[in-house]
Amino acid sequence: MSSKLIVIDSETGKTFEHELLDQEECIGRSIDRNTVVLDDSQVSRQHATLQRLGSTYMLIDLNSANGTLVNGKRIKEQILNDGDLISISKYNITYKKLGTVAVKFDNQRIGNTILMRNPEQVVSSLPQIDKAAISHADLSSQAFLDDIEDLRKKAETLSRLYELNQMLGSVFSLEDIFKKVSEMLFRLTPADRFLVLAKDRDSDKLSPIATEFRMGNGGRGGAEISISRTVLDKVLAERVSLLSFDAQGDERLAQAKSIIMQGIHSVMCAPMLGKNGLLGVIYVDCQQVLKMFNEDDLDLLNALAAETAIAVDNAITHDQLLREALARATYGRFMPKHVVDAILANPDQISMGGSNALVTMLFSDVRGFTSMSENLPPETVVQILNEYFADMSPIVFQHQGLLDKYMGDGLMALFGVPYQDENAAVNAVAAAVDMQRRMTHVNEDLKSRGLSEIAIGIGINTGTVTVGYIGSEERTDYTAIGDAVNLAARLEKEAQAWQIIISQATREAVSDRFSVKPKGEVHVKGKKESVRIYEVIWQEA
């Protein structure tokens, strides 16, 4: 990464890190629109954006209601420096630059290279020793000693790889992954500079995301270094690791200006091949005249690149799982599991604005709860409500419903959203029947604790309404609005304790799936004409 954000929730102390990968990164409350999600009502749906400018980012506030602060001052836009503190609502966000070196690519072409390796060639390059010939061999011969030395070096390489594998098994920060890999290369090879270039997800462009130097930054902060495009092109085209033993002395690399101008005597580069293709490359070079890379160094880099690709894949997957967990926690509060699964699988299919849809609305309310709660301590009232809703909400989800909201001792649920469902009305009535049946168990529990029994009345209507994310920048809810919603709420008021009242539209939608009896016509608020209603005989359902 060139940069990352360290996010701390000042209320809970929870921390997470986000590594900045893209040209533009968005910050806000909405899960589907932001790469950095801050789950707080004081954060706008899209609060701010980070736009890459060279090796840093510019922070732009998107006219948020509560503003964006940098180092304590409210800003409209500001170029960020390493260590800047961004404050958004209860979140304190530290901007951290992970690499301060700009990279320039040399486009000169080169001819053949000195040595190349495929990833699978690390093992195949082990020396082969004829066991049968060992007893007759001259154990002091140079050839035999060379074979033994080769085996020793390969064993050391495998040992180092095992060591790295153990370290990377529990590391999910790309910065930490590349730091550990660079430390191993500096320890085991003459490398002076270590760079990781990542492939853009939407193009073939390579951008530096990590830079390390053997002697620290060596005063190079803000400087520009050149990387041989000729070396990169060869590695990218053939998906092989490459080594030039002596870059300045090799006439086949004579046209690479960056190698000549910076006094580099040895260069290695290896691709990082992930499960979904090329992730990027690792590029190292040595500027010491008396030292250069050798074949063993290339084998080590080749193997390290493979291990690093696995670790990077794991880190990306880990980040995706965290995002999905956050999405499930947020959506799962009011949507059934199958809808959450569909949204995460195809987020673009959900319209985030308002749209008209045929929906069945269910309203329920506890009868006599107000008078009962007047004689109970507030904490007891809250506990009863929480337990009641804990019984009712899963029933809504089991019948493919969406929990719109709680309203005191009542709830509102929607059926047939966010995806159209021809069985929405049937599901709504079935949910109402199960809710009434469940009340028997709720009351048994209340009686065992010496509390009064409660009962609910339910009203259901089917009609075309506007559904979607409705609200303001400060707060949005997925809900339904329209005359059909109002009628469902009115029918709930008509329902007595233990009753389920449905409209003519819902009656027609469920056909003869449930036993019902006509309840005549009623006049409801907001309607000039009377409304025909039916009672569901849920005991016979």
Side-chain angles (χ1 to χ4, degrees):
M1 296 319 47
S2 59
S3 307
K4 72 175 179 178
L5 300 178
I6 304 172
V7 184
I8 301 176
D9 185 329
S10 62
E11 292 183 358
T12 65
K14 291 184 178 180
T15 301
F16 70 89
E17 296 184 3
H18 175 79
E19 299 181 33
L20 301 174
L21 291 167
D22 298 330
Q23 191 66 29
E24 183 175 13
E25 305 261 357
C26 295
I27 303 173
R29 188 179 72 251
S30 177
I31 293 176
D32 62 291
R33 300 187 180 186
N34 302 284
T35 52
V36 182
V37 179
L38 305 180
D39 188 14
D40 184 74
S41 61
Q42 299 301 309
V43 179
S44 296
R45 182 168 50 189
Q46 281 190 292
H47 197 101
T49 184
L50 287 160
Q51 294 183 357
R52 188 191 295 274
L53 292 178
S55 62
T56 188
Y57 278 85
M58 173 180 283
L59 176 66
I60 302 172
D61 182 82
L62 300 176
N63 297 317
S64 62
N66 295 310
T68 302
L69 282 68
V70 176
N71 300 326
K73 296 182 179 180
R74 186 162 181 166
I75 60 98
K76 176 61 179 174
E77 60 181 42
Q78 181 166 323
I79 295 176
L80 296 175
N81 296 311
D82 185 35
D84 278 348
L85 180 63
I86 304 166
S87 299
I88 298 177
S89 181
K90 64 177 182 177
Y91 295 95
N92 294 323
I93 307 169
T94 302
Y95 174 74
K96 176 75 173 176
K97 295 189 70 174
L98 307 182
T100 59
V101 177
V103 172
K104 178 182 178 182
F105 296 100
D106 186 301
N107 292 314
Q108 296 294 327
R109 299 183 60 186
I110 60 172
N112 294 328
T113 54
I114 299 294
L115 185 63
M116 294 186 292
R117 282 277 196 270
N118 289 316
E120 62 271 14
Q121 286 180 307
V122 175
V123 175
S124 64
S125 63
L126 289 171
Q128 304 297 315
I129 299 179
D130 186 353
K131 295 180 180 179
I134 291 180
S135 58
H136 305 290
D138 181 1
L139 300 185
S140 63
S141 68
Q142 188 60 46
F144 185 81
L145 294 177
D146 289 343
D147 283 343
I148 295 300
E149 178 62 16
D150 284 343
L151 286 172
R152 186 195 65 78
K153 290 180 178 179
K154 299 301 180 183
E156 182 180 8
T157 297
L158 292 175
S159 174
R160 299 303 184 188
L161 289 176
Y162 177 78
E163 175 188 343
L164 181 67
N165 184 269
Q166 292 294 101
M167 288 191 297
L168 296 184
S170 58
V171 175
F172 299 110
S173 163
L174 295 188
E175 179 187 10
D176 292 340
I177 290 171
F178 297 140
K179 188 75 173 176
K180 291 181 182 298
V181 174
S182 68
E183 288 173 353
M184 182 164 289
L185 283 169
F186 289 146
R187 177 152 51 98
L188 300 177
T189 75
D192 292 311
R193 303 190 302 187
F194 168 92
L195 297 94
V196 178
L197 297 98
K199 177 180 174 291
D200 185 82
R201 287 177 289 186
D202 300 321
S203 68
D204 292 330
K205 181 180 179 182
L206 288 175
S207 301
I209 59 172
T211 57
E212 298 290 342
F213 296 88
R214 176 177 291 276
M215 303 303 294
N217 218 22
R220 293 182 175 89
E224 182 180 73
I225 63 172
S226 292
I227 290 180
S228 174
R229 170 63 73 179
T230 51
V231 171
L232 292 179
D233 286 345
K234 191 71 173 177
V235 171
L236 295 175
E238 302 189 26
R239 298 291 197 268
V240 295
S241 57
L242 175 149
L243 162 64
S244 169
F245 287 95
D246 184 356
Q248 283 197 341
D250 180 6
E251 62 182 14
R252 286 167 289 186
L253 296 174
Q255 299 300 315
K257 292 182 180 179
S258 60
I259 292 176
I260 298 173
M261 294 175 62
Q262 298 193 47
I264 301 167
H265 291 263
S266 197
V267 174
M268 290 195 302
C269 185
M272 295 186 297
L273 301 174
K275 58 185 178 183
N276 294 320
L278 180 70
L279 298 173
V281 301
I282 299 176
Y283 184 102
V284 294
D285 55 39
C286 174
Q287 297 176 290
Q288 302 176 65
V289 177
L290 299 180
K291 294 184 178 180
M292 62 182 65
F293 297 123
N294 57 36
E295 184 175 349
D296 291 325
D297 295 330
L298 182 63
D299 286 341
L300 176 64
L301 177 63
N302 206 7
L304 287 181
E307 288 287 336
T308 304
I310 295 173
V312 171
D313 267 337
N314 290 340
I316 293 173
T317 300
H318 181 261
D319 185 60
Q320 291 172 341
L321 290 174
L322 287 178
R323 291 175 184 273
E324 182 175 320
L326 179 59
R328 289 189 181 278
T330 301
Y331 287 130
R333 282 181 272 177
F334 56 93
M335 291 183 178
K337 181 179 181 298
H338 79 284
V339 174
V340 176
D341 291 340
I343 290 175
L344 294 176
N346 300 288
D348 295 336
Q349 292 186 11
I350 299 295
S351 174
M352 294 306 165
S355 61
N356 291 334
L358 182 64
V359 181
T360 297
M361 286 69 59
L362 179 153
F363 283 80
S364 75
D365 191 73
V366 178
R367 298 297 182 248
F369 188 79
T370 302
S371 58
M372 184 184 74
S373 63
E374 291 176 351
N375 301 315
L376 295 174
E379 57 272 19
T380 303
V381 173
V382 172
Q383 183 179 6
I384 292 174
L385 281 177
N386 285 339
E387 293 177 0
Y388 160 69
F389 286 132
D391 281 312
M392 297 298 109
S393 299
I395 294 174
V396 173
F397 294 157
Q398 288 165 11
H399 292 280
Q400 322 308 319
L402 183 151
L403 184 60
D404 187 294
K405 62 174 69 70
Y406 298 122
M407 302 166 292
D409 57 348
L411 65 82
M412 172 183 173
L414 307 176
F415 295 81
V417 290
Y419 302 103
Q420 289 292 301
D421 185 353
E422 62 181 11
N423 294 316
V426 174
N427 290 336
V429 176
V433 170
D434 283 351
M435 290 169 68
Q436 291 288 18
R437 288 175 173 169
R438 184 64 185 172
M439 289 304 299
T440 302
H441 301 284
V442 172
N443 282 322
E444 288 176 356
D445 183 59
L446 291 176
K447 285 175 63 177
S448 69
R449 296 159 55 191
L451 299 172
S452 301
E453 294 185 12
I454 61 176
I456 61 173
I458 299 175
I460 301 174
N461 182 41
T462 302
T464 300
V465 297
T466 301
V467 293
Y469 285 95
I470 299 171
S472 66
E473 279 294 319
E474 287 68 51
R475 179 175 178 81
T476 58
D477 290 301
Y478 190 90
T479 189
I481 58 174
D483 184 64
V485 178
N486 299 333
L487 178 56
R490 302 287 185 266
L491 296 185
E492 178 263 305
K493 300 302 180 185
E494 293 292 328
Q496 302 299 311
W498 301 101
Q499 277 191 329
I500 302 171
I501 298 298
I502 65 175
S503 67
Q504 175 72 27
T506 301
R507 170 71 178 86
E508 293 173 355
V510 300
S511 186
D512 58 353
R513 297 285 293 274
F514 300 90
S515 296
V516 301
K517 65 179 179 180
K519 296 293 289 183
E521 296 183 349
V522 296
H523 291 279
V524 297
K525 184 179 179 181
K527 287 285 187 180
K528 293 182 179 180
E529 299 180 359
S530 59
V531 176
R532 184 177 297 276
I533 62 174
Y534 299 81
E535 180 183 356
V536 177
I537 311 304
W538 57 267
Q539 295 88 345
E540 301 177 6

